[in-house]
Amino acid sequence: MKGGRNYRASIPSNKGSMKATHKWFAAACLLMVCAPCWADAPAPTEIERGFQSMYNLEFDQAHRSFSTWERLHPNDPLGPVSQAAGYLFGEFARLGILESELFTNDKTFEGRAKLAPDSKVRDEFNGALSRGDQLADAALKQNPEDNNALFAKILALGLRSDYVALIDKEDFAALHYMKQSRILAQQLLKQKPDEYDALLAVGVENYLTGIKPAPVRWMLSLGGIDPNKEQGLRELEQTAAHGNLLKPFAKLLLAVAALRDKNNTQGCDLLHQLAVAYPGNALYRNAAPECR
């Protein structure tokens, strides 16, 4: 891809049911509070440094790292998409969306107060995603199998889904973005089966739609979605074991899934691992009442 490089080591229903789905999907907002494993990488890139800062809730530093990457790689769509991630999760932190009890307690999530998003942050978020889309589309026009551009679009769709689900509370729109992300992830995985970061998008949709009631799963299948909770968990486990940027995200989602299934031992162990790895992030220490 011109101007950049692929840095990664690898990579509907009734209203009440939609809310139930996105209460778990809300766990995705904690994506940016854990860190990638660089054991096999020679040195972290500025993108990776930026994500690490976000995982520690150091958003200003994250944006500085992403800006450096954009300056050095102006044609790489992952630069502005990463900036968008910083805006989104900084806003999540400000609004208290990162409090994990929202994810494991249905009543708490459904009864959450109406949010007051920052309009400037929203504009910056949307602007960064638009820049990322333009760069990704240009790269894909030259090479339809550009892995880095495909991954940037997958990540961008995931961020859009998070924003509309957790801030705007537009569950159907969030599901639409989720489906688009899954379709692109499947395309990328056909090209490169070991892109485990992309596999997470498939696993998230499979799990979330798989925990819906049977009639809802049937309706979703008519819309081209194949709900499968167990398959989703297996896909998340693969990303947790072999992914790069999204490896810790998959581990977090598995922890939330375990807590929802009352498997407190597994869930708390995963959260403890993240808390030990990133002691500067208090969210992991206070992630779930069951683990305190």
Side-chain angles (χ1 to χ4, degrees), residues 172-234:
F172 287 104
L175 185 62
H176 173 70
Y177 287 130
M178 191 194 309
K179 180 179 178 180
Q180 288 184 307
S181 180
R182 184 260 301 168
I183 291 172
L184 287 180
Q186 289 175 325
Q187 177 183 341
L188 178 53
L189 288 164
K190 285 183 180 179
Q191 297 172 189
K192 191 175 181 184
D194 63 351
E195 287 285 353
Y196 293 102
D197 282 349
L199 184 62
L200 183 137
V202 181
V204 165
E205 186 186 68
N206 274 329
Y207 178 84
L208 292 180
T209 55
I211 62 177
K212 287 177 172 294
V216 174
R217 294 199 300 272
W218 177 77
M219 292 177 64
L220 289 171
S221 68
L222 294 179
I225 296 175
D226 184 20
N228 189 326
K229 174 184 174 181
E230 297 305 320
Q231 177 65 23
L233 288 173
R234 288 192 292 270

Side-chain angles (χ1 to χ4, degrees), residues 3-258:
R5 64 187 179 93
N6 188 340
Y7 69 92
R8 290 176 295 118
S10 61
I11 100 144
S13 60
N14 59 53
K15 185 176 180 181
S17 181
M18 289 303 298
K19 287 184 177 179
T21 291
H22 285 294
K23 93 173 136 39
W24 191 91
F25 188 60
C29 73
L30 285 179
L31 161 61
M32 303 307 171
V33 293
C34 33
C37 175
W38 297 316
D40 298 325
T45 65
E46 291 301 327
I47 287 281
E48 292 169 323
R49 292 181 191 277
F51 270 77
Q52 185 179 38
S53 296
M54 278 198 299
Y55 305 149
N56 286 302
L57 306 185
E58 298 168 347
F59 299 109
D60 289 342
Q61 180 58 51
H63 285 300
R64 286 193 289 272
S65 294
F66 297 145
S67 293
T68 298
W69 181 267
E70 287 190 274
R71 186 172 62 254
L72 296 174
H73 307 278
N75 294 328
D76 187 348
L78 207 55
V81 171
S82 297
Q83 292 281 21
Y87 293 130
L88 177 64
F89 291 98
E91 186 73 338
F92 280 172
R94 184 185 70 84
L95 294 171
I97 296 176
L98 299 179
E99 300 301 326
S100 65
E101 288 186 41
L102 289 176
F103 316 145
T104 57
N105 187 306
D106 294 357
K107 292 182 179 180
T108 300
F109 183 83
E110 292 173 3
R112 68 198 190 281
K114 184 177 181 179
L115 301 175
D118 186 314
S119 59
K120 180 179 178 181
V121 171
R122 182 194 294 267
D123 290 343
E124 291 172 331
F125 172 73
N126 288 327
L129 289 179
S130 294
R131 295 196 304 274
D133 281 343
Q134 291 172 2
L135 291 172
D137 289 342
L140 291 169
K141 186 175 181 179
Q142 294 184 11
N143 176 13
E145 297 185 351
D146 188 312
N147 291 348
N148 191 61
L150 280 172
F151 180 74
K153 291 186 75 72
I154 292 166
L155 180 57
L157 287 165
L159 296 173
R160 287 189 170 97
S161 182
D162 282 350
Y163 194 104
V164 298
L166 302 176
I167 295 180
D168 294 337
K169 302 183 182 180
E170 296 179 1
D171 296 325
F172 287 104
L175 185 62
H176 173 70
Y177 287 130
M178 191 194 309
K179 180 179 178 180
Q180 288 184 307
S181 180
R182 184 260 301 168
I183 291 172
L184 287 180
Q186 289 175 325
Q187 177 183 341
L188 178 53
L189 288 164
K190 285 183 180 179
Q191 297 172 189
K192 191 175 181 184
D194 63 351
E195 287 285 353
Y196 293 102
D197 282 349
L199 184 62
L200 183 137
V202 181
V204 165
E205 186 186 68
N206 274 329
Y207 178 84
L208 292 180
T209 55
I211 62 177
K212 287 177 172 294
V216 174
R217 294 199 300 272
W218 177 77
M219 292 177 64
L220 289 171
S221 68
L222 294 179
I225 296 175
D226 184 20
N228 189 326
K229 174 184 174 181
E230 297 305 320
Q231 177 65 23
L233 288 173
R234 288 192 292 270
E235 289 157 347
L236 292 175
E237 287 169 355
Q238 290 187 59
T239 303
H242 307 294
N244 182 33
L245 283 184
L246 303 187
K247 178 175 183 176
F249 179 28
K251 184 177 290 189
L252 174 67
L253 297 181
L254 289 170
V256 175

Side-chain angles (χ1 to χ4, degrees), residues 252-266:
L252 174 67
L253 297 181
L254 289 170
V256 175
L259 292 173
R260 289 186 55 79
D261 287 341
K262 307 303 180 184
N263 187 346
N264 294 345
T265 299
Q266 178 184 355

